[in-house]
Amino acid sequence: MHTPSHITEKAVEVAKAQKADSVVSIGGGSTIGLGKAISIRTGLPHICIPTTYAGSEMTPILGETAEGRKTTRSDPNILPGTVIYDVDLTLTLPPAMSATSGVNAIAHAVEALYARNTNPVTCLLAQEGIRTLAIALPEIMEEPSAQPARSKALYGAWLCGTFLGNVGIALHHKLCHSLGGSFNLPHAETHTIVLPHALSYNAPKAVEPMMRLAEALSDSNGDAIRGLNLLLTRLKVKRGLKDFGMREEDIDKATEIAFSNPYWNPREIEKGPLRELIRRCWAGEEARADL
């Protein structure tokens, strides 16, 4: 869950009581999100020192949760003013968390490939970000203290994070926001589970973006969904939302929430296929292009 509003309110009170002159966020996406929430409410300058690969430090987007619903907003003033990357601070990040935060970043770049306002430069940079993380993350799983792999992952996260505020987002992010905010599911893990299934849904209407994605994923053999399934297998991540507390009876509620006020998407949102997509995410099935 990103930035619960009641936590933000308490943090703002502390900042004012201490007469703080700046906000420094050291940590992952949730920590940086809290820093953004404090900064936008107080006008304090925000300095980020990321220790994961989510890429939140490079986005002007803030996700906040209140009363079981997650909402997002974008504002240039939300973008942190200073970002410091120090690879040494990532060396002890557990491999499992490294994997899911990295896939979270990949998701930003994937949706940039088929965003309504994408462009050729964005697509080239998105491919580079995806390719870099797809190489670095398995290396980190093999050798967690490998500094070159960690450096590559930070570079990939930086690239992927830049897209989230510059192009639109679609079905994947809508699902993750709905599921995470409504069912208290962990952010990066939810992104990791949903991404291949959202891709399988959009594949028929995103042929060229899927080709670009396949080029960025080794061993894809021209099939982006296959390439992503293989990457997640190599990263040994959990594939089912049920592993994180979502119940089977929540599938219908999740479908209704995700179906309401949908984001723009390359394929029209249809309730039946959407429910099946969410069911597969809940069950932990591999993605397949038959939705």
Side-chain angles (χ1 to χ4, degrees):
M1 182 186 296
H2 268 195
T3 322
S5 295
H6 68 284
I7 298 296
T8 299
E9 291 166 5
K10 292 180 181 179
V12 168
E13 291 176 4
V14 172
K16 291 179 177 178
Q18 297 299 318
K19 297 181 179 179
D21 59 8
S22 61
V23 180
V24 180
S25 300
I26 304 174
S30 295
T31 301
I32 291 170
L34 178 58
K36 289 177 175 180
I38 297 169
S39 176
I40 194 66
R41 284 168 169 77
T42 61
L44 294 173
H46 186 193
I47 301 168
C48 288
I49 306 174
T51 61
T52 71
Y53 309 121
S56 176
E57 68 279 358
M58 294 305 301
T59 77
I61 293 176
L62 173 61
E64 299 185 282
T65 303
E67 298 178 356
R69 291 286 180 115
K70 180 175 179 178
T71 58
T72 61
R73 56 174 166 147
S74 180
D75 186 320
N77 294 316
I78 291 173
L79 184 68
T82 302
V83 178
I84 300 170
Y85 289 107
D86 185 342
V87 68
D88 289 344
L89 297 179
T90 69
L91 295 178
T92 56
L93 184 67
M97 191 176 294
S98 301
T100 54
S101 73
V103 177
N104 184 7
I106 287 174
H108 305 331
V110 166
E111 291 222 307
L113 291 174
Y114 54 66
R116 180 165 41 178
N117 55 343
T118 193
N119 59 70
V121 174
T122 291
C123 288
L124 286 171
L125 294 175
Q127 282 182 291
E128 172 70 2
I130 295 166
R131 183 181 295 110
T132 301
L133 279 165
I135 293 171
L137 295 176
E139 292 177 356
I140 290 170
M141 296 299 291
E142 292 291 329
E143 182 50 65
S145 61
Q147 195 172 73
R150 294 283 186 178
S151 294
K152 281 190 289 189
L154 281 176
Y155 167 59
W158 169 74
L159 278 170
C160 293
T162 59
F163 304 120
L164 197 56
N166 294 320
V167 296
I169 52 180
L171 176 63
H172 169 79
H173 280 83
K174 173 65 175 182
L175 283 171
C176 292
H177 296 164
S178 300
L179 291 166
S182 300
F183 303 104
N184 197 28
L185 298 171
H187 185 78
E189 289 83 353
T190 301
H191 272 274
T192 300
I193 292 167
V194 170
L195 181 59
H197 298 284
L199 278 174
S200 71
Y201 183 94
N202 282 330
K205 298 295 184 180
V207 176
E208 183 176 343
M210 294 294 283
M211 291 174 60
R212 289 181 177 273
L213 178 57
E215 291 172 2
L217 295 170
S218 62
D219 302 322
S220 68
N221 291 340
D223 182 340
I225 296 172
R226 177 181 186 274
L228 193 53
N229 276 329
L230 286 172
L231 175 62
L232 297 186
T233 298
R234 293 180 68 190
L235 297 180
K236 303 175 183 177
V237 295
K238 292 182 178 180
R239 301 290 298 270
L241 294 174
K242 64 182 181 181
D243 296 326
F244 297 97
M246 184 177 176
R247 302 171 302 171
E248 187 172 9
E249 53 264 38
D250 292 331
I251 294 172
D252 287 327
K253 179 182 178 182
T255 303
E256 292 296 330
I257 294 170
F259 190 72
S260 64
N261 300 316
Y263 298 169
W264 177 88
N265 194 61
R267 175 183 169 184
E268 184 179 355
I269 304 301
E270 304 170 65
K271 185 175 284 188
L274 177 64
R275 188 192 186 282
E276 174 60 13
L277 186 164
I278 294 172
R279 188 202 65 77
R280 293 178 186 183
C281 291
W282 170 82
E285 297 176 8
E286 279 206 345
R288 54 189 188 275
D290 60 355
L291 285 168

